[in-house]
Amino acid sequence: VGWIAIDGTSINYPVMQSRNIPNFYLKHSFEKEHSDLGVPYIQEDCDILTSDNLIIYGHHMKNGTMFTGLMDYESRKFYEGHKTIHFDTLTKTADYEVIAVFKTTVYDDTGFKYYLFANAETEEDFQAYVDECKALSLYDTGVTAEYGDKLITLSTCEYSRTNGRLVVVAKKTAE
C-alpha cells in the first residue's frame, strides 16, 4: 500500500496491509512468505485514503533492520536532524513532521492505547489523542496537530519494560 523512508536511518521499506488477516505481515515478507523480519504494515482498520491516523508497525530487530531506527528518536538531538518521515502511497507522495515520541506498554491497563485511534469521531477525540501523545512525549518538539490534520503513528517494540513500545507520531505537512 505504500513506502516509508526516514532519511539518515535504515528505514526504507515497502508498507503492507492485510485487512482480513490482522498482523499477517508481522511474520511474513513482502512476497507473503514466512519471515521473522516481517515487513512494516498498516493496522487493518486504517484506510490509507481516509483515516485520520495511519498506524504502522515494524519489528525492532537486533541486526538494526525494520523499525529499529525509530529507537534513535529517544534522543532529541537525533530528532532535530530527522524531523521528517516520508510515506508514499501508490498515488501520492507525502511528508510528515514528527510531533511526539513516547514510550508506553501494550496488553495491560496502564499503557496509552494509541492503537485504538484510527479515526476521530469528533474534534474532541482528535484533540484528546494529540494531547495524550504530547503529554507522554520524551521531549517537546514544538510541533502539534489540529483537527483536520492527517497523522501517521509508527510503533516498534521497546525493551525497557514488559510489552514496551516506542511510538513516533507525525502530521502530514506536504503532498
Side-chain angles (χ1 to χ4, degrees), residues 9-151:
T9 73
S10 63
I11 298 171
N12 189 13
Y13 297 107
V15 176
M16 306 301 284
Q17 186 177 35
S18 175
R19 289 183 177 271
N20 299 328
I21 307 172
N23 302 320
F24 177 80
Y25 287 101
L26 185 67
K27 293 288 184 180
H28 288 85
S29 69
F30 178 81
E31 293 84 12
K32 299 182 180 176
E33 297 171 358
H34 182 273
S35 168
D36 288 335
L37 290 175
V39 67
Y41 65 96
I42 295 180
Q43 187 168 290
E44 68 278 357
D45 62 342
C46 293
D47 184 304
I48 62 167
L49 299 176
T50 62
S51 287
D52 295 314
N53 184 29
L54 298 177
I55 304 162
I56 305 178
Y57 301 97
H59 279 299
H60 177 169
M61 303 302 294
K62 290 180 182 175
N63 67 4
T65 60
M66 296 301 138
F67 273 11
T68 304
L70 292 181
M71 298 308 296
D72 292 335
Y73 279 102
E74 288 184 88
S75 161
R76 182 183 182 96
K77 183 177 181 183
F78 178 84
Y79 153 76
E80 288 174 357
H82 303 84
K83 295 180 180 182
T84 303
I85 297 166
H86 310 287
F87 180 67
D88 301 337
T89 65
L90 298 175
T91 58
K92 294 184 178 179
T93 62
D95 288 340
Y96 292 77
E97 184 177 8
V98 174
I99 66 168
V101 178
F102 61 89
K103 294 180 183 180
T104 190
T105 56
V106 293
Y107 313 125
D108 63 29
D109 292 330
T110 62
F112 173 40
K113 294 176 175 35
Y114 62 92
Y115 46 84
L116 296 179
F117 180 75
N119 293 294
E121 296 291 323
T122 65
E123 184 172 344
E124 290 76 22
D125 288 344
F126 186 91
Q127 196 59 54
Y129 179 78
V130 170
D131 288 350
E132 186 66 15
C133 292
K134 297 292 288 172
L136 292 172
S137 192
L138 300 173
Y139 43 83
D140 183 4
T141 63
V143 181
T144 192
E146 32 186 71
Y147 186 65
D149 285 338
K150 296 294 185 181
L151 304 175

